[in-house]
Structures are given as C-alpha cells and as structure tokens.
Amino acid sequence: EAQVTQNPRYLITVTGKKLTVTCSQNMNHEYMSWYRQDPGLGLRQIYYSMNVEVTDKGDVPEGYKVSRKEKRNFPLILESPSPNQTSLYFCASSLGGTGLAGAWNTQYFGPGTRLTVL
Amino acid sequence: GQQVMQIPQYQHVQEGEDFTTYCNSSTTLSNIQWYKQRPGGHPVFLIQLVKSGEVKKQKRLTFQFGEAKKNSSLHITATQTTDVGTYFCAGYNAGNMLTFGGGTRLMVKP
C-alpha cells in the first residue's frame, strides 16, 4: 500500500532533550516536506527536500534540522526542543515539488505526530 | 513572503445548506490545490486548478480559480454530515515552496 509513515505518533518530552521524528514513503517520491499545524495558523512548511542531499528552508525552519540521505526517508530533528515547538507535525511527499501543472505535485500526508514539549 | 488567507475560519451550517470558503493569495499562483482534513486525520488532496478562470466540479463540490490567479473558492452544495472537516487551499508561487491557507473548519448540524 502506498503510504507515508511517521514515528512516533505521539511524544511528550522535556525542554532541551534532543528528539527525532522519522518519516518514510514507499512511493519513490522526489519531494518531501515537513509541516507543523497549529490552531488558526493552518499548515506551515518547516523544511522541504527536492531530492537526496537537497534541502531548503520553508516558512518556519528555526529550531529544526532535517536530512535527506536516502530518497525514502526524511527525518525531522529537534536538537533542543522548546515549549513553543509543541504542535502537530505532518510529513508529506509528492512526485515533484514545483508549481508546474500536473498531478506530480499532489501532496500525500503522513498520519501526523503530536509533540508536547514540557 | 507569500501569504495565503482563507475565510471564514469557521462555518456552522444546517445539513442541506450550501457552504463556500474563499482563498486569497498575496502573490500570483502558478496553481492552487485544495485539501480536506477530517477531525483527527491528516490532509487529503481534493483537486488542483492550474488555468486562469478554471472551474472544476466533483459531485457537490465546485472549485474556481480566479482570472488573476490570486484567489480561489470551494463551494459545497447541499452539505451533508460527511462534509465535516477543515478545508485548506495551498498554492505554489514561482518556486518550490507550497504555502497553505489557514483553513476553514466546516461543521454541519444534522
């Protein structure tokens, strides 16, 4: 089954304790991205990756790191989490990632990771 | 940077009433996408509009892309309880960053 998986689905942690949220897709997609969702603010892009070893900042990259060593995986790293990073996080992937026409930039979202930083 | 605004933020309707959400971008978009997120779920792609003035229909849902490619709307005719959720628009400008609107949360009273 074609899907995007995220782990963990729920995480409660404390300020300053490094954590990684994993994201994996089995659709051979080129483009992967991370979003955070907060009430009233919609989905805001944190980082995106056009391909292996290529990553770019989105709207809200501060406090986050990513890596794209393999095509299928795109982990999100919080080196020193703070309470303002408490949020619902979604990983997404698509065939491509430009504004060109076509279904290749349709985003497929993972189930989400609810993170609480105390 | 690019901003995408959606109104209203919330909408309560009686089952059978129509519903419309509006999306406005601060910049011209190359295309616009619409997603639906059910309560507790993740966003799911509904449709993409590419051409200026384009109108697409999916059963009771009608999507429009403005002539200037800076605004869009989603209209649902005769809402049902299965339409409950949050509807997001999202647009690319000239680059590779996808910007989402804040979403419109639709609640339907049976």
Side-chain angles (χ1 to χ4, degrees):
Chain A
E1 180 192 353
Q3 60 182 346
V4 179
T5 57
Q6 290 179 231
N7 282 291
R9 294 290 312 280
Y10 303 90
L11 179 60
I12 300 174
T13 189
V14 296
T15 298
K17 186 176 181 182
K18 181 180 178 180
L19 67 92
T20 300
V21 183
T22 64
C23 173
S24 184
Q25 50 91 7
N26 62 1
M27 295 172 277
N28 201 35
H29 283 173
E30 301 277 337
Y31 184 95
M32 297 184 75
S33 58
W34 276 101
Y35 297 87
R36 61 177 289 173
Q37 184 174 26
D38 303 288
L41 297 176
L43 292 148
R44 293 180 293 167
Q45 195 172 48
I46 303 170
Y47 270 94
Y48 64 95
S49 169
M50 293 292 291
N51 211 327
V52 174
E53 302 293 357
V54 179
T55 63
D56 277 298
K57 296 178 181 179
D59 279 327
V60 288
E62 295 78 20
Y64 304 94
K65 284 175 60 176
V66 292
S67 69
R68 188 90 183 273
K69 293 185 170 58
E70 304 166 282
K71 197 173 187 179
R72 63 183 295 130
N73 296 323
F74 191 45
L76 178 70
I77 303 154
L78 284 72
E79 295 270 3
S80 183
S82 62
N84 65 11
Q85 292 178 299
T86 292
S87 187
L88 179 58
Y89 290 86
F90 287 103
C91 179
S93 73
S94 63
L95 276 171
T98 75
L100 297 176
W104 73 317
N105 56 17
T106 299
Q107 300 290 305
Y108 293 84
F109 284 83
T113 295
R114 188 165 291 281
L115 172 65
T116 302
V117 183
L118 303 174
Chain B
Q2 177 181 289
Q3 289 188 319
V4 178
M5 310 295 289
Q6 252 185 285
I7 56 169
Q9 194 171 353
Y10 303 95
Q11 184 84 60
H12 284 88
V13 299
Q14 194 72 41
E15 188 172 21
E17 291 181 340
D18 292 355
F19 159 77
T20 304
T21 173
Y22 300 92
C23 180
N24 290 286
S25 170
S26 58
T27 60
T28 301
L29 301 171
S30 55
N31 63 56
I32 195 155
Q33 300 176 353
W34 284 91
Y35 292 80
K36 176 183 178 181
Q37 183 179 23
R38 294 184 188 275
H42 58 274
V44 174
F45 175 80
L46 291 176
I47 206 160
Q48 177 172 260
L49 303 171
V50 178
K51 299 175 186 173
S52 170
E54 188 170 13
V55 178
K56 285 189 176 180
K57 292 192 175 187
Q58 286 181 350
K59 297 182 180 177
R60 294 178 296 104
L61 279 61
T62 302
F63 304 84
Q64 289 189 313
F65 200 10
E67 293 291 342
K69 301 184 79 172
K70 293 180 75 172
N71 62 286
S72 182
S73 65
L74 157 60
H75 179 83
I76 302 178
T77 304
T79 54
Q80 299 175 358
T81 54
T82 53
D83 296 325
V84 163
T86 301
Y87 293 85
F88 293 98
C89 62
Y92 287 97
N93 50 16
N96 296 314
M97 201 169 76
L98 185 61
T99 302
F100 279 78
T104 296
R105 185 178 170 192
L106 172 64
M107 288 155 280
V108 180
K109 289 176 279 189

